[in-house]
Amino acid sequence: MSKYTTGEIAKLCGVSVRTVQYYDDRGILVPSELSEGGRRLYTEDDLKRMHMICFLREAGLPINSISALFAEERPESIISILLEQQEQALREELSERQKKLELIEGIKRELKEIENFSVESIGDIAHIMKQKSKLSKMRWTMVLTGIPVTALQWTSIVLWITNGLWWLFVIWALVAIPWGICISKYYFNHVAYICPECHEVFKPKLKEAFWAYHTPRMRRLTCPKCGRKGLCVEVYAEKNDRNNG
C-alpha cells in the first residue's frame, strides 16, 4: 500500500503543508503511521479522506462541522443534511449579495440624475431608494384604477362615431371628472419632493403641484425652505409627511 508524506499529500490535494498539519492538529486527518524518524505517513484511505475534506471546504462547510461529521460513526448519514444546510445558507447569502448589487446599480443610476453632486446628495439618494418600491406600487394602483375609465372612454367615442350613441360619452364624462379629481388628490397626498439645493423634503400646495411642469420623476416647484424654483425629485410621502401636508 502506498504511503505519503505530509508534503506529498499536500501536493496531491492542492493545498499547503501547513493546511495538512492544521487538519492533523484539529484531529480530522490524523496520519495512520509515523516513520522511525517521526515523520507523518498517510495511506490511500487518508488520501481519500483528505480529498473529502477539501471538497467539503470548497463547498463552504466550516471546519467545526467537518470535524463533527468525521466524529460520527456513520458520517454518510448526515453529510446530505449538512450539504442541504450549506446550500440554503449560500442561497441566502447570494440573495443578500444580489440585493446589494441592485442597490449599488440603483445608486449609480440616481447619481446620473444629479447635476451637482455633494455629500448631502447621498442622503437624497438613500431616501429615494428606500421609497422607490412604495412609489411604484402607488403608481400601479393609479394605473389599474384608470383602466376601466379609459376603456369606457374609448368605447363611448367609438359608439358615438359609429352609432351616434353620444349619451355614453356623457356617462363617461360624469365618471371621469370625479375620478380625475379623486385620483389627483390621492396622488399628491402620497408624494413629496426633495429640493436638490437644500435637500428639504416637502409637500407643495395641490394647485402648484397640479399645474407645474413635470417629468415622470421630477416636478418644477418652489422649495418652501430655500425658495429655489426648479425641478425637484419625487418620492413617496410617509404617513407623517402626508399628515403634515
Side-chain angles (χ1 to χ4, degrees):
M1 181 180 290
S2 299
K3 302 290 177 66
Y4 305 96
T5 64
T6 301
E8 290 170 339
I9 202 170
K11 185 176 181 180
L12 289 170
C13 295
V15 298
S16 67
V17 171
R18 185 69 189 90
T19 298
V20 179
Q21 293 171 342
Y22 174 68
Y23 292 156
D24 183 7
D25 294 338
R26 292 298 301 265
I28 59 177
L29 186 70
V30 179
S32 297
E33 297 179 23
L34 291 175
S35 68
E36 292 181 0
R39 298 178 65 187
R40 298 176 177 87
L41 295 177
Y42 297 90
T43 64
E44 289 287 347
D45 289 339
D46 294 331
L47 179 60
K48 291 177 182 178
R49 186 185 183 97
M50 185 60 182
H51 279 304
M52 177 61 71
I53 294 170
C54 293
F55 165 74
L56 295 175
R57 289 296 291 148
E58 288 177 4
L61 266 68
I63 286 294
N64 290 339
S65 296
I66 297 174
S67 180
L69 174 66
F70 285 119
E72 293 290 322
E73 292 184 5
R74 296 182 60 219
E76 65 276 3
S77 63
I78 63 171
I79 190 170
S80 60
I81 299 175
L82 286 175
L83 290 176
E84 286 178 5
Q85 291 177 342
Q86 181 64 11
E87 180 185 13
Q88 180 63 28
L90 290 174
R91 290 188 183 278
E92 291 175 359
E93 181 181 345
L94 182 62
S95 177
E96 288 299 318
R97 289 181 178 273
Q98 183 62 37
K99 289 178 182 178
K100 291 178 181 179
L101 181 60
E102 291 173 357
L103 177 62
I104 291 173
E105 291 174 346
I107 292 174
K108 289 173 65 178
R109 286 194 297 269
E110 296 297 335
L111 284 174
K112 293 179 181 179
E113 301 289 333
I114 298 176
E115 294 181 0
N116 300 314
F117 177 75
S118 65
V119 175
E120 290 82 1
S121 302
I122 299 176
D124 295 344
I125 293 173
H127 190 82
I128 292 169
M129 297 297 295
K130 181 180 178 182
Q131 307 298 341
K132 195 170 185 178
S133 61
K134 295 180 180 179
L135 186 62
S136 178
K137 184 177 179 180
M138 185 268 294
R139 287 171 173 168
W140 272 109
T141 299
M142 294 175 58
V143 170
L144 293 175
T145 59
I147 289 176
V149 179
T150 304
L152 179 60
Q153 175 189 15
W154 286 105
T155 301
S156 65
I157 292 174
V158 171
L159 291 177
W160 190 358
I161 294 174
T162 58
N163 298 328
L165 299 177
W166 57 269
W167 54 267
L168 192 59
F169 186 82
V170 175
I171 293 175
W172 167 79
L174 294 175
V175 172
I177 293 173
W179 175 83
I181 295 173
C182 291
I183 205 68
S184 296
K185 288 183 176 180
Y186 169 81
Y187 177 72
F188 288 113
N189 189 44
H190 285 77
V191 296
Y193 295 88
I194 300 177
C195 172
E197 184 69 28
C198 67
H199 309 283
E200 175 78 359
V201 179
F202 67 95
K203 287 185 65 62
K205 298 295 183 182
L206 177 61
K207 183 178 179 181
E208 179 191 8
F210 185 83
W211 294 107
Y213 166 80
H214 63 91
T215 69
R217 300 178 59 189
M218 295 182 286
R219 193 171 293 265
R220 179 168 284 124
L221 300 166
T222 300
C223 175
K225 183 176 181 180
C226 68
R228 173 190 178 276
K229 185 172 183 178
L231 290 174
C232 298
V233 181
E234 187 174 88
V235 295
Y236 185 84
E238 295 291 356
K239 188 174 182 180
N240 58 334
D241 295 328
R242 298 201 294 267
N243 292 337
N244 293 337

